[in-house]
Amino acid sequence: QVQLVESGGGLVQAGDSLRLSCVASGRAVSTVSTYTMAWFRQAPGKEREFVAIIRWIGTNAYIADYADSVKGRFTISRDNTKNTMYLQMNSLKPEDTAIYYCAADRLRGALGPADFRSWGQGTQVTVSS
């Protein structure tokens, strides 16, 4: 597996934008372009929930999916030259406030939190109304 480090969180107002980054490193980093990578978030007192996922489906081909709550506002992407995954968050709402975690796994079918073996430490996103 790989080591992951998130950055880019902060305090913003409703309607603002943020871009989160997740940099992968470690012995397996040369194969991370084929890993399933995802963003999850956890608000105080709530369980960790899925936000977005990006899966490798072939040479330089990926497919993305989103939670309904963020669809149309958030965009997941990756730059394999930098071993980095991004989450562009637009039109932020107070209910988006949470700690955001990136996750990665070499299994293509990884989906829920229990399926991912590599996790970052999280980055706090706070959206004020």
Side-chain angles (χ1 to χ4, degrees), residues 20-115:
L20 306 184
S21 299
C22 172
V23 179
S25 63
R27 285 194 303 173
V29 73
S30 62
T31 60
V32 76
S33 63
T34 65
Y35 276 38
T36 298
M37 300 188 74
W39 290 96
F40 293 84
R41 67 186 182 186
Q42 189 165 18
K46 295 187 176 181
E47 293 187 351
R48 193 166 299 190
E49 65 173 3
F50 166 75
V51 176
I53 193 166
I54 186 163
R55 301 181 189 280
W56 178 72
I57 57 172
T59 303
N60 295 322
Y62 296 89
I63 188 168
D65 198 10
Y66 301 89
D68 288 343
S69 59
V70 307
K71 202 167 290 186
R73 299 188 297 123
F74 291 11
T75 303
I76 190 171
S77 63
R78 57 198 298 169
D79 182 344
N80 294 326
T81 66
K82 299 179 179 179
N83 297 321
T84 301
M85 175 179 66
Y86 302 99
L87 185 68
Q88 178 66 43
M89 306 186 295
N90 298 330
S91 303
L92 283 161
K93 304 176 181 180
E95 51 263 44
D96 294 319
T97 295
I99 299 174
Y100 284 70
Y101 298 90
C102 67
D105 201 274
R106 64 176 182 266
L107 294 179
R108 294 196 192 184
L111 180 60
D115 297 332

